[in-house]
Structures are given as structure tokens and as C-alpha cells.
Amino acid sequence: MKSAEHPTILATLREMSGTVRILVLGNLISNLAAFLNAFLVLFLTGEGFTAWESGVVLTALMVGRISGSAVGGAAADRVGYRWVIVGSMAGTAALTAALVHVPNVWIGALVAGGAGLTATAYRPAAMAWVVELTPKDRHVMVFSVLRLTFNVGSTVGPMGAALLLTYASYGALFYVDAATSLAFGVVAYVALRSDAEPAPGGGGSGGERAGYGQVLADRRFMLVVLGLFLTAVTYIQSSAALPLFVTGSGHDERVFAMLLSVNGGIVIAFEVLLSKWLQRLPIGVPMTFGMAMLGVGHLIYTGPTPVALLLLATVVWTFGEVIAAPSMMAYPGLVAPAALRARYIAAATIPQQVGYAVGPMIGVAAWHAWGSGVWVLTGVFGLVGAAAVGAGAGLARRRPADEPEPALEPATAAEGGD
């Protein structure tokens, strides 16, 4: 194969359009200061709210985040990517800052729900725009770069939070969070150009409901969505069942911290590098194989529990994550009809968010009921998810439904508009 058909990491980074670079940078900045989820309960209890009231507000935030993807996907296909990103970031900035001043639990829940909705509403638009401006043979690589910015932000961000809490306050923490969202919104308004995106399509004359109805009618895609949900339930056990399992097996918290460090180190060190080769494969192959490795890694936990085997299991499922995740992010936009691209991305995102929300309850309940049997359950989830993805995505390239239409090949023309 010619090297031009499989661009290198440096070539991919060098040839990104200006719009994609801004979206990648915005993703990094927003994740560096994404403090709301982690510190909301501590802030509210410090302000005199009860634990129950703080939980209500946090639940509202999570519900808002899940619904935000659906709203953002529909809005992006109707009004355009740029305006959804700008509006989402402006709303997030205002509502995050407002949370510092909520007087009671019900207003807090309302504001938190709105903040959660706006915080995730931009993602289908941003991801769809990346798809529009990226040649198809580079989707996996570019989305692995997006994943890298998320992981770096999630790793470095807590250190920034610690400094702010040491020298300032929780209020300052949320104001910084709001300021970064506002900065991204301003950059999106000034630097992103509407003529670099396709005209809003609305998904046809049927409107929003018909648009999502068309997504739900795509049975092969919905099989992949089922696989994404099962994978999310499996993956989230790294912060739910795994700490209980490690300490319950006679190890201390340092072993659990080591396993998380191994996971983070492998993801940051290898994900982009492996994407150079994985992008050559039919996209269903790394998704299916990686999800299967995730399940196998969990099944290894069911054996003896010396540190070496815990480490082996963690390495196996982490490489499954590294192999599958960039392709999982790229897949919805790759197979979607152009007019429904943001809705397809939202439809793939929502089940994952639901999986991350209910997964801890499933894992903790299974741990208390069956002990190490939790890994049989989640391991099977991972393997069933892999089977669903293999059946839905296939192990050969699946072409989008409206491939013959010129609108599905916008990368070259759109890049020229930047």
C-alpha cells in the first residue's frame, strides 16, 4: 500500500484544517477545567446543603448531561455546528458561574440540569464537524488525538483544581471552569467559520422526531449502540467494582492507584501511536477486537489475585480500550447520512453516558452479591458488546447510506474554506 493512503501521525497533525485544530484545542481546554462533576457535592455540602440535597443537584447535572447530547445532536443538524458550539459554551459559562450562588436545592437542581445539558450539547456538533473536515482514512487517527486531549485534560486538571483549592476557594474553581467555557465559545464565534460546514439539513421534512426515528430504524447501527452501552457498563467498573475488589482481596489502596496509573500511562503512550496502524483496518475490526479484549481482561480478574495477575488483567483490558476507543468515536459520523450526522453521534453517545451512570450501581451490587463473580458478569458484557458491534459494524468496511451524494465527501472543499 502506498504511504499516502495511510498517513503518519505527523502528517495527520500537520494537515488538519484550522477548524479541526480549534476544536481539538477547545476540547483540551474544556477538559482541563471540567471541575463541576468532581467537586459539586463537596462545594454544596460546604455551603450548608445536606448530603441528600447535594445528591439531588448532582443527579440533575447528570440527567442534563445525558439529555444534552440528544438536544445538541438535533440542534446541530438543524441550525449548524458553529452556532450550537457557541451557544452551548455561552450557556455552560453562565450556568456554571450561577451555581456558586444558588439559594436552595430546587434552584440548584434547575441550574445544574441546565449546565449539564449545555456542557454536552456541543459535542455532537464538534464531532460531526471533525468528521466533515477529515478525510475518511484519517478519522481514527484524528479521534485518537481528540481522546488524547481528553485524557491529558482529565489527568492534569485535578492538579490545577488542587492549586485553586489551596490558594482560593470552590467559588474560584467554578469561575475558572466557567471562564474556560466562555473562552472556547468566544474562540468558536470569532475563529470558526460557518461557511466551512455543510448547510443544516434538519434530517428531512419530518423534523427532529423523524430524524431520530431514522437513526433508530438503522438496525445495524443500533446493534453497535447496544455494544457501546455494554462496553460503557464494563469500562466504568475501573472506578466502581475494581477498588472494592482490590482492597477486598487483601491489597491496599496503593495497588489500586498503581493499576489506574498503568491504565492512564498506556492510553496516553500508545493510543495515538497504534491508531496509525488501526486506521488501515475496516473500522469494525478494532472495535470488535478491542471490546473483546476488555471482556477478557475482566475475566482474568476472576482468577488468583497476586499483584502480577491484577496487573496483567489491567494491561489486557486497557489495550482493549486503546484499540477500540478511537474507532468507536469515529464510527457514528463515518456511517451516518450527512443530514443526520450529529444525530447519529448523539445516538451513540447517550447510551454510553447512561452506561457510565448505571454501571457503578450494577458493579457495586454484583460485588456485594457475588464477590469476584462481578467480573464474570462484566466480562460477559464486554464479550456480548463485542459480538453486537461485530454484527452491526461488520468486519469489512460499511459505506454510509448516501455515499453517492457529493455532500458526504466535504473534507477537501470544506478545508479550503478555512
Side-chain angles (χ1 to χ4, degrees):
M1 295 184 180
K2 297 178 181 180
S3 60
E5 295 176 357
H6 303 297
T8 63
I9 298 170
L10 291 178
T12 299
L13 295 173
R14 185 171 58 248
E15 296 169 15
M16 277 183 181
S17 75
T19 295
V20 173
R21 292 184 185 187
I22 291 170
L23 294 173
V24 169
L25 179 62
N27 190 61
L28 173 62
I29 293 172
S30 62
N31 281 295
L32 279 170
F35 303 135
L36 200 57
N37 289 14
F39 295 99
L40 180 59
V41 169
L42 292 175
F43 165 72
L44 291 173
T45 53
E47 291 293 304
F49 288 78
T50 67
W52 179 85
E53 290 172 333
S54 301
V56 169
V57 177
L58 180 63
T59 299
L61 176 70
M62 295 297 103
V63 171
R65 291 179 68 86
I66 292 171
S67 59
S69 294
V71 172
D77 284 334
R78 285 181 172 276
V79 304
Y81 307 149
R82 175 172 175 260
W83 286 113
V84 169
I85 294 170
V86 171
S88 174
M89 290 297 99
T92 301
L95 291 167
T96 301
L99 272 171
V100 179
H101 306 286
V102 293
N104 59 59
V105 60
W106 305 117
I107 293 179
L110 182 64
V111 173
L117 188 150
T118 56
T120 55
Y122 88 95
R123 289 180 180 172
M127 291 173 67
W129 210 349
V130 169
V131 169
E132 298 288 351
L133 298 182
T134 303
K136 291 179 182 177
D137 63 343
R138 303 189 185 194
H139 282 183
V140 173
M141 177 79 73
V142 170
F143 277 105
S144 71
V145 173
L146 269 175
R147 281 252 313 164
L148 178 63
T149 62
F150 171 81
N151 288 317
V152 170
S154 300
T155 301
V156 178
M159 292 186 283
L163 289 174
L164 284 169
L165 291 175
T166 300
Y167 297 103
S169 65
Y170 280 112
L173 199 70
F174 292 161
Y175 286 137
V176 169
D177 191 336
T180 57
S181 297
L182 182 61
F184 184 18
V186 169
V187 170
Y189 178 78
V190 172
L192 298 181
R193 294 175 50 177
S194 296
D195 60 359
E197 63 176 304
S205 59
E208 178 179 335
R209 182 173 298 180
Y212 276 115
Q214 292 176 50
V215 178
L216 294 173
D218 186 340
R219 294 181 181 179
R220 291 180 62 187
F221 181 72
M222 295 312 295
L223 274 174
V224 175
V225 169
L226 172 62
L228 295 177
F229 168 75
L230 293 172
T231 301
V233 173
T234 305
Y235 175 76
I236 199 63
Q237 302 312 320
S238 61
S239 56
L242 185 58
L244 297 174
F245 174 68
V246 170
T247 55
S249 299
H251 304 289
D252 61 26
E253 292 82 357
R254 289 174 296 180
V255 173
F256 172 64
M258 179 198 70
L259 297 179
L260 290 187
S261 298
V262 168
N263 168 257
I266 290 174
V267 170
I268 291 174
F270 289 100
E271 189 163 283
V272 174
L273 292 174
L274 287 179
S275 294
K276 175 183 176 182
W277 289 277
L278 295 174
Q279 67 184 349
R280 306 180 185 188
L281 302 173
I283 196 165
V285 172
M287 291 168 64
T288 303
F289 185 64
M291 291 179 183
M293 285 185 67
L294 179 66
V296 170
H298 279 221
L299 290 174
I300 294 174
Y301 283 135
T302 62
T305 59
V307 172
L309 282 180
L310 295 178
L311 184 61
L312 172 64
T314 302
V315 169
V316 170
W317 70 254
T318 297
F319 270 103
E321 174 191 357
V322 165
I323 291 169
S327 297
M328 288 164 55
M329 290 184 69
Y331 179 80
L334 182 66
V335 301
L340 296 173
R341 184 160 282 129
R343 284 186 176 92
Y344 264 71
I345 291 170
T349 301
I350 293 169
Q352 293 179 76
Q353 293 173 328
V354 173
Y356 293 143
V358 303
M361 294 183 287
I362 294 173
V364 171
W367 160 252
H368 284 296
W370 304 315
S372 61
V374 62
W375 304 117
V376 176
L377 177 66
T378 59
V380 169
F381 276 8
L383 295 176
V384 172
V389 167
L395 301 183
R397 296 194 184 278
R398 179 185 172 193
R399 301 178 70 82
D402 54 358
E403 178 87 27
E405 298 182 11
L408 272 180
E409 299 289 347
T412 303
E415 289 184 26
D418 273 343

